[in-house]
Amino acid sequence: MQPSIVVVLLALAALASGSEDASPRITGGTQTLPGQFPSAVILETPYEPQNCMGTIVNRQHVLTAAVCVMNPTTFVMINPFWLRIIAGDINVVPVSVRRLVRDVNRCYVHPNYNRLTDSNNLAVLRVSEPFPEFHNTIEPALLNAQMLPDNTQCQFAGWGATTDVATAVVRPQQFLVAAPILTIASCNAPAVHNNRVQQTMICAGALAANANTVCRGNLGGGLYCNGHLTGVLSFGLTCGLANRPGVYMDVRQYTNWIETQFTRTDNPPPGWVPPQPL
């Protein structure tokens, strides 16, 4: 497993601590408070330099994007041994007393995940030890069950980077950005996502350039509307650029599949390959 991004960030934080202009570099969004998004977690993975995100959906399971648990070179499911969940903390650094870390011992990728179209881009992870009885900083998300109208005001909270480059470093604190739901038609325009957004997806964010957007490190994170988990970030890492709004899997349409994974007893072996189109 590659060295944890936490180690890198600790070094960077130490360097920044002596700089008077360190604070202004944290741009985009509003810093969250402890317990504001108690279901949002960091998913450490060896193949994403900025890691991914996930959402606690019950005491032993985390929902994320399938792309976060797939090898980007061989396109097969990686061994859950290499995954780790960080919960209960709004900081990457410094570590707070609220932090809990869990290994992953089961990984259930949607059987029809398609890496070429990002359809069914979901995975449910089972942690090795259940989270404790829920409290202020660790609680499961409530799943949205309603179809929401366009322009519904939603939110995304996470630890993403501010630039779309492979070496970008994630911000050490969790930030909140506004992400109103956009029409699928506007997101499927040729200059935007060019018909990639399917009916099982939600497009949210801004079409114009906007510093308050999702970026690297946010894949697999949750879109919250009216306090309920509504989407899982699949693609569309805006990073402040125009015509790249975030695209999320619509949780409402996958609730049955998500909940079915909670009682599975099998253990899919590493190396599983999702079906691909002809």
Side-chain angles (χ1 to χ4, degrees):
M1 182 175 183
Q2 295 179 359
S4 169
I5 191 68
V6 173
V7 176
V8 178
L9 284 169
L10 283 170
L12 290 173
L15 291 173
S17 63
S19 173
E20 294 181 357
D21 64 347
S23 294
R25 295 177 187 170
I26 299 176
T27 59
T30 304
Q31 193 168 334
T32 63
L33 300 173
Q36 191 171 356
F37 290 89
S39 59
V41 300
I42 296 172
L43 169 60
E44 287 192 334
T45 166
Y47 295 109
E48 292 288 341
Q50 294 79 20
N51 290 318
C52 277
M53 287 183 55
T55 305
I56 298 173
V57 286
N58 70 14
R59 287 191 62 196
Q60 203 169 357
H61 294 91
V62 168
L63 180 64
T64 189
V67 65
C68 291
V69 299
M70 305 299 291
N71 185 310
T73 302
T74 61
F75 311 117
V76 302
M77 189 179 77
I78 65 176
N79 192 326
F81 172 83
W82 299 111
L83 303 174
R84 197 168 72 144
I85 302 293
I86 298 176
D89 203 346
I90 59 172
N91 301 318
V92 178
V93 288
V95 176
S96 84
V97 296
R98 296 178 293 268
R99 175 172 299 190
L100 288 178
V101 179
R102 293 289 186 266
D103 295 326
V104 176
N105 62 9
R106 295 286 191 279
C107 183
Y108 299 117
V109 175
H110 194 286
N112 295 318
Y113 165 59
N114 188 312
R115 66 178 177 83
L116 302 179
T117 65
D118 286 297
S119 60
N120 307 306
N121 190 359
L122 290 174
V124 172
L125 311 180
R126 184 173 298 162
V127 294
S128 55
E129 179 184 352
F131 295 110
E133 291 295 336
F134 303 116
H135 47 78
N136 288 341
T137 59
I138 298 179
E139 291 185 12
L142 299 175
L143 304 187
N144 175 61
Q146 299 181 346
M147 181 181 296
L148 300 177
D150 297 331
N151 204 40
T152 296
Q153 299 302 303
C154 303
Q155 300 172 318
F156 185 96
W159 299 265
T162 58
T163 57
D164 189 12
V165 295
T167 57
V169 177
V170 297
R171 293 179 289 180
Q173 289 84 32
Q174 184 188 74
F175 276 75
L176 164 70
V177 297
I181 294 179
L182 304 173
T183 66
I184 289 183
S186 65
C187 289
N188 274 334
V192 188
H193 289 308
N194 195 23
N195 291 321
R196 286 187 65 193
V197 184
Q198 303 170 23
Q199 293 300 318
T200 53
M201 301 175 180
I202 295 172
C203 188
L207 295 177
N210 187 336
N212 302 326
T213 56
V214 294
C215 194
R216 285 177 178 257
N218 290 148
L219 284 175
L223 179 71
Y224 296 83
C225 306
N226 302 322
H228 289 66
L229 178 66
T230 302
V232 173
L233 185 60
S234 175
F235 65 92
L237 300 181
T238 310
C239 300
L241 301 180
N243 294 325
R244 287 172 57 182
V247 180
Y248 303 78
M249 301 310 304
D250 186 355
V251 169
R252 176 183 63 87
Q253 300 189 53
Y254 289 93
T255 300
N256 289 339
W257 179 81
I258 294 169
E259 293 179 346
T260 298
Q261 310 316 301
F262 299 164
T263 56
R264 284 180 63 172
T265 57
D266 61 310
N267 187 11
W272 174 80
V273 181
Q276 301 296 335
L278 297 177

